[in-house]
Amino acid sequence: LAGARLPRGAMRTTRLAGEPLLLCRGADGEVFALRDICPHRGIPLSHGRFDGREVECCYHGWRFAADGRCTAIPSLVPGQDLAVERIRCGAYPCREVQGKPDDLAIRH
């Protein structure tokens, strides 16, 4: 994917070796790649929202940071003992080649 086609706050889908990926460029300009599947119910994260910092699944609102770590599960109530930060959707190293937004390199 050409980096120029991924502006700040945007997300795009692609596949690498058959794996569904979600490429995002944060509000800070950094690029990151997540597995495009919510670990909760298997819904593509690309069907959700991206606020420039976190991706939110459209199904139950689970939120994921650039490192793939779950940051929020809105349906949890006080007293539920669940280590949200241990849930991950999967993240891949991603960078712009030669410091230019021409090509994104993803390692699988």
Side-chain angles (χ1 to χ4, degrees), residues 95-105:
R95 65 182 175 87
E96 291 186 280
V97 177
Q98 299 178 352
K100 296 187 224 175
D102 295 334
D103 293 301
L104 301 179

Side-chain angles (χ1 to χ4, degrees), residues 13-108:
T13 60
T14 190
R15 290 185 96 64
L16 181 64
E19 188 76 19
L21 295 181
L22 179 62
L23 300 173
C24 302
R25 185 180 302 276
D28 60 0
E30 294 297 314
V31 175
F32 63 94
L34 300 176
R35 185 168 184 246
D36 191 17
I37 298 174
C38 181
H40 178 225
R41 293 286 185 185
I43 302 295
L45 290 172
S46 57
H47 291 179
R49 288 184 264 174
F50 178 49
D51 66 4
R53 203 171 56 88
E54 296 179 324
V55 175
E56 179 182 298
C57 179
C58 68
Y59 196 56
H60 285 123
W62 288 27
R63 297 181 66 81
F64 297 92
D67 63 1
R69 177 182 40 85
C70 186
T71 60
I73 298 177
S75 62
L76 290 179
V77 297
Q80 282 185 293
D81 189 24
L82 179 65
V84 172
E85 67 282 354
R86 294 184 66 192
I87 300 169
R88 297 186 176 268
C89 66
Y92 299 91
C94 183
R95 65 182 175 87
E96 291 186 280
V97 177
Q98 299 178 352
K100 296 187 224 175
D102 295 334
D103 293 301
L104 301 179
I106 303 164
R107 294 183 187 177
H108 191 269

